[in-house]
Amino acid sequence: MDSDRPYLGILLMLAFCVLAPLGDAIAKLLGATLSIGALVAVRFGAQAVTLLPLALALRLPMPRGTAVLWLIALRTVLHVLGIALMFTALRHLPLADALAIVFVMPFMMLLAGWLLLDEDVGPHRLGACAAGFAGTLMVIQPNFMESGWPALLPLGVAVAFVGFMLVTRKIAKVVDPIAMQGVSGLMAIAVLAPLALALPGWPALSFDGLGTSSPGLLALMALIGTVAHLFMTWSLRFAPSATVAPMQYMEIPFATLIGWLIFRDLPDGLAALGICVTVAAGLYIIGRERAIARRPRPPTPEAT
């Protein structure tokens, strides 16, 4: 497909923002008894088992070509890394706080463009970046005092998902999302299986307790995670990332509500203020990007 459908993209991203923190909350519950490796394996195994047969049944075109398959492999590695780090962080941090730290993503993307790609970034957006980082540090500080180094894990999640979003947008218009997610689930198992065999004594890859855990919760976590990221992939298929990016901040209020309902966790004090600063700075950056994109470009001089 070549044309964008921005309103559909926004609705799909909003659906992701509701489902993703709910899946994370279930993973937080299961994380008390299961290893990170077991949770990630179930999550991506269910994705492969659910979506690959569906893609074949619907006769959807499967990803082809070396370049596309390498991009899907890169996307898969980034996805596995991001989810593994997020599940680990949720063992130690409240749901809303972890997500708020992850939302350092837009600042990372802007600074990467400025420092690495020599993109033009004005003082307004650099100031918003500084404010966003300050807000993130305000969320990290009380969590670091309470939990130590795990409070930094969401920063790793942000790095992984910056790459994940960029790769997804690059291939979302040329690869069917269901087929891509199915192949990605299979690739994730292909990555995890050798690690589990090579490191059988590593607690993070232990599958002890998998048979005694709640199968209903495991299935629900896997289903919600699969559907949520399918919605996110579809949203990037139908709308530019600059259009759907503001909607992602809706994850924070939904995560706050879900965290309160399930764990009775609410951000307070410095963390709550930091969340407000981070969201405001992120929305300001997105607003500036969209305003700059709408500016008329100077006419190109005619060749003589």
Side-chain angles (χ1 to χ4, degrees):
M1 59 168 292
D2 296 319
S3 60
D4 284 334
R5 298 171 63 185
Y7 292 112
L8 179 56
I10 288 171
L11 287 175
L12 289 167
M13 184 58 80
L14 282 175
F16 167 80
C17 291
V18 175
L19 292 175
L22 180 58
D24 288 339
I26 296 172
K28 183 176 175 68
L29 285 172
L30 291 167
T33 56
L34 289 176
S35 73
I36 300 303
L39 289 173
V40 173
V42 169
R43 162 71 178 79
F44 284 96
Q47 179 174 308
V49 169
T50 303
L51 296 183
L52 271 180
L54 180 60
L56 293 173
L58 295 175
R59 298 183 179 179
L60 299 175
M62 302 301 290
R64 294 180 181 178
T66 303
V68 169
L69 289 174
W70 273 112
L71 284 173
I72 293 176
L74 174 60
R75 178 183 182 274
T76 299
V77 171
L78 292 169
H79 198 182
V80 170
L81 178 61
I83 286 183
L85 290 173
M86 188 65 178
F87 285 178
T88 305
L90 289 174
R91 291 187 166 195
H92 306 277
L93 307 179
L95 181 60
D97 289 14
L99 269 178
I101 298 170
V102 170
F103 274 96
V104 75
M105 285 189 297
F107 318 127
M108 287 182 173
M109 293 182 71
L110 193 68
L111 289 177
W114 179 49
L115 295 172
L116 302 178
L117 304 177
D118 199 28
E119 293 179 352
D120 184 23
V121 178
H124 291 281
R125 286 179 288 172
L126 286 176
C129 273
F133 276 122
T136 302
L137 291 175
M138 291 163 70
V139 181
I140 290 175
Q141 194 271 338
N143 284 286
F144 189 84
M145 293 294 292
E146 182 176 344
S147 304
W149 66 266
L152 302 177
L153 288 172
L155 295 177
V157 179
V159 173
F161 273 98
V162 164
F164 173 82
M165 293 283 286
L166 292 174
V167 176
T168 298
R169 177 60 181 172
K170 185 173 181 64
I171 60 178
K173 285 182 176 290
V174 298
V175 180
D176 182 85
I178 294 177
M180 177 170 64
Q181 293 286 82
V183 170
S184 184
L186 197 60
M187 287 180 173
I189 298 302
V191 169
L192 293 169
L195 284 176
L197 292 174
L199 303 167
W202 194 20
L205 291 173
S206 170
F207 286 83
D208 294 340
L210 191 59
T212 58
S213 296
S214 170
L217 274 182
L218 275 170
L220 187 61
M221 177 203 72
L223 179 63
I224 288 175
T226 297
V227 173
H229 281 87
L230 192 59
F231 282 161
M232 188 271 286
T233 304
W234 266 325
S235 76
L236 293 170
R237 181 179 173 90
F238 288 113
S241 54
T243 300
V244 298
M247 299 301 105
Q248 286 186 276
Y249 280 96
M250 291 301 295
E251 270 195 84
I252 295 179
F254 284 124
T256 303
L257 177 61
I258 292 167
W260 179 77
L261 290 173
I262 298 177
F263 306 105
R264 289 297 186 264
D265 286 334
L266 278 177
D268 55 11
L270 191 61
L273 179 60
I275 288 174
C276 294
V277 171
T278 300
V279 171
L283 293 177
Y284 178 81
I285 284 177
I286 292 166
R288 289 286 299 179
E289 293 286 342
R290 298 181 72 178
I292 289 171
R294 292 194 190 103
R295 290 177 182 173
R297 296 181 179 180
T300 304
E302 294 183 0
T304 58

